[in-house]
Amino acid sequence: MTDMILVTGANGNLGSATLAALRARGATATGGSRTPGDEMRRLDFDDPTGMDLAGVSVLVLISAGYAEDDQVIGRHAAVLDAAVRDGVQHVIYTSLTGAGDHLGFALAHRATERLVRACGLPWTILRNGLYAELFGGLLMWAGDGLESAFGDGAVAAVTRADLAEAAALIATDPAQHSGRTYDLVGAPITAAQVADRLGVPHRTIGLGEFRRRVLDEMPGLLPFQPPMLASIATGIRHGFLDGAGPDLAGILGRPVGDPLATAVAVASATRPGQPDGGK
């Protein structure tokens, strides 16, 4: 039987990119989602009895982080239980960079890492850095320039495409990476660098003003998300997330992609007056 790789959260940004990277490499891979598309499996982490991982050899568990910690950890425990039950041979979990231990969403990742290590299956943990796409999206246009609460702080941001490719490479040869925890971060970038590329000034706002804007101007956020975003701003501002490392380039076998170019593209797309600006 051909080894089957299944990527959870396959309708999300990282999950869909990982599945595409696997298929581009010719791997036998499918996606799992609570709202599956063509040739995907229905996989609802909130319906443990309905989870079917039969025939799956490698499970790429994309963190289901859009919920309160207890719900996230419960979801991850349920899918790991199903993986053990159904004979999955290797689990790859997308976690959070080690530099992010102080962030508001770190505990759910670290608790899940414990579950992964204790589940009895061979495992690999990918501690992903903050997305360059997220960094660019958190910069705010005001007047003729960009504003942020990041100050002069840098973040070792990484593109989703690089993270997806790394996950795909490991999933197609998991035995080489069994029992390993990788810290997958990119090159440090700053808000001022993004502004310079766009030819506009960057101004620093206080954390209180940042939190006010998040609460007042992002009405679609869930209750637990504003503190998470504020913790990112604090972490970047005070230099906790700027450390680079060799793991990602080593796995990719090439230099990492340019996170600054990605952050610039995202910030530019939200500039007022653009076709999709302000969305």
Side-chain angles (χ1 to χ4, degrees), residues 53-59 79 82-91 121-122:
L53 298 176
V56 173
S57 57
V58 178
L59 175 68
V79 73
V84 172
R85 180 197 68 207
D86 292 342
V88 171
Q89 297 167 26
H90 195 105
V91 174
L121 301 176

Side-chain angles (χ1 to χ4, degrees), residues 139-140 142 145-153 190-192 195 201-210 213 233 237-238:
L139 301 175
M140 301 172 177
L146 286 171
E147 294 184 345
S148 81
F150 303 142
D152 297 326
T190 67
H202 169 253
R203 294 180 290 270
T204 296
I205 61 174
L207 289 164
E209 172 63 11
F210 174 76
R213 292 187 192 182
R237 188 183 185 108
H238 295 290

Side-chain angles (χ1 to χ4, degrees), residues 165 169 247-256:
E165 184 179 341
L169 286 164
D247 287 355
L248 182 55
I251 291 168
L252 296 176
R254 60 166 175 80
V256 300

Side-chain angles (χ1 to χ4, degrees), residues 89-137:
Q89 297 167 26
H90 195 105
V91 174
I92 299 166
Y93 174 60
T94 62
S95 187
L96 172 68
T97 175
D101 274 346
H102 61 285
L103 295 177
F105 46 100
L107 285 175
H109 284 295
R110 301 298 177 249
T112 300
E113 289 182 11
R114 289 184 178 180
L115 295 175
V116 168
R117 293 187 177 103
C119 74
L121 301 176
W123 54 266
T124 307
I125 292 170
L126 307 182
R127 286 184 161 182
N128 291 345
L130 294 189
Y131 301 146
E133 292 87 346
L134 173 63
F135 183 71

Side-chain angles (χ1 to χ4, degrees), residues 136-148 194-195 198-201 203 213 217 264 266-272 274 277-278:
L138 289 176
L139 301 175
M140 301 172 177
W141 287 97
D144 62 347
L146 286 171
E147 294 184 345
S148 81
V194 175
L198 292 169
V200 301
R203 294 180 290 270
R213 292 187 192 182
E217 300 172 15
V264 167
V266 172
S268 179
T270 65
R271 188 172 191 167
Q274 298 298 311

Side-chain angles (χ1 to χ4, degrees), residues 144-212:
D144 62 347
L146 286 171
E147 294 184 345
S148 81
F150 303 142
D152 297 326
V155 58
V158 61
T159 67
R160 282 199 190 97
D162 275 357
L163 295 174
E165 184 179 341
L169 286 164
I170 290 171
T172 54
D173 190 14
Q176 295 287 332
H177 306 279
S178 184
R180 299 291 300 274
T181 298
Y182 295 108
D183 210 66
L184 305 183
V185 295
I189 61 174
T190 67
Q193 288 175 317
V194 175
D196 285 346
R197 284 276 186 99
L198 292 169
V200 301
H202 169 253
R203 294 180 290 270
T204 296
I205 61 174
L207 289 164
E209 172 63 11
F210 174 76
R211 190 184 295 267
R212 184 198 66 75

